[in-house]
Amino acid sequence: MTGWIASQEGKNFSVAFRNDDGEDSEHASSGHIFVDGQDVASAILRPGRLYPATRHGPRKSENEVRPFTFSKLELTDDDTVADPSDPRAADIGTIQVKIKFVRLGTKVALKKTNAKGIGPVHERAKKSGIHTTTYNTKQKLAKSRGVTNSPLYPNDEWEHHVVFTFRYRSKELLMAEGIMPRPEQAQEGNLILEEQGSGIPDDRKRVWRDESDDEEIMESQEDGNGSKRHKSYHPSSEDDGGMPEDTMDEPGSP
């Protein structure tokens, strides 16, 4: 699956994924998040988990991350500074989530993720206006933990069972390339939708709920010994910089 994202310079972003089977899911899954070609974060979805795994940036420590931030890509025309044929340039402006089913092992300490911003890049390798992701700030977060894992299907021909790819560009660039409608086109589309929806009875119209400010969610899961383990998700707030707590497991080294 491939999609597009309108990025905005200086804005932080998060990456979330979930298993649509929810409480009916039978297997754990491991998701690795690649930004600009780098493996920068990961999370485990245990069987029966109802809510998404969310990552705000690479781990700096067990309770601190460096937030994902959309940034302007620095370009140069100097061949001694950047290689025009640098293969990394092809992955700039992409976010990928690669997911596979796994068998969980033992709990381990988390390791620091050494993610680095990319740049400068030669102007012959990437056009002007492309964004990249940087990790220049830090943010406190609830402690997380690691867990070893191994492939559930070790003989599977596919390294990952599903891969989501999102390409991010500035709004202006997406409109220039015809990927994102210009404001006047969007307004025309809204008028058409309003006309089509005018004859639909109120009780049959679809209502979209804004979930940008989730209420507190309490989740219980069974441990192997039959006891309950409680996890919590707290809504964003100004006090924590807009970053919710994340007590998810993360894959450790096998």
Side-chain angles (χ1 to χ4, degrees), residues 20-119:
D20 279 347
D21 289 338
E23 60 185 5
D24 295 325
S25 59
E26 299 179 359
H27 306 299
S29 55
S30 168
H32 279 256
I33 299 167
F34 291 75
V35 178
D36 296 341
Q38 298 184 81
D39 188 351
V40 294
S42 58
I44 290 290
L45 288 178
R46 289 178 178 270
R49 182 177 174 85
L50 299 176
Y51 305 107
T54 304
R55 286 292 175 263
H56 311 289
R59 281 279 170 184
K60 182 177 176 62
S61 66
E62 65 177 6
N63 66 343
E64 199 172 44
V65 298
R66 293 182 292 150
F68 299 126
T69 306
F70 290 127
S71 304
K72 183 178 180 179
L73 179 64
E74 183 182 355
L75 298 177
T76 180
D77 59 0
D78 190 340
D79 292 3
T80 63
V81 174
D83 183 358
S85 59
D86 188 346
R88 298 180 305 164
D91 293 320
I92 296 174
T94 63
I95 300 168
Q96 287 190 309
V97 182
K98 301 181 178 182
I99 302 172
K100 62 183 176 182
F101 292 116
V102 296
R103 183 176 289 105
L104 300 181
T106 58
K107 299 174 184 176
V108 293
L110 286 175
K111 294 183 178 180
K112 176 181 176 181
T113 304
N114 295 314
K116 297 180 180 180
I118 297 176

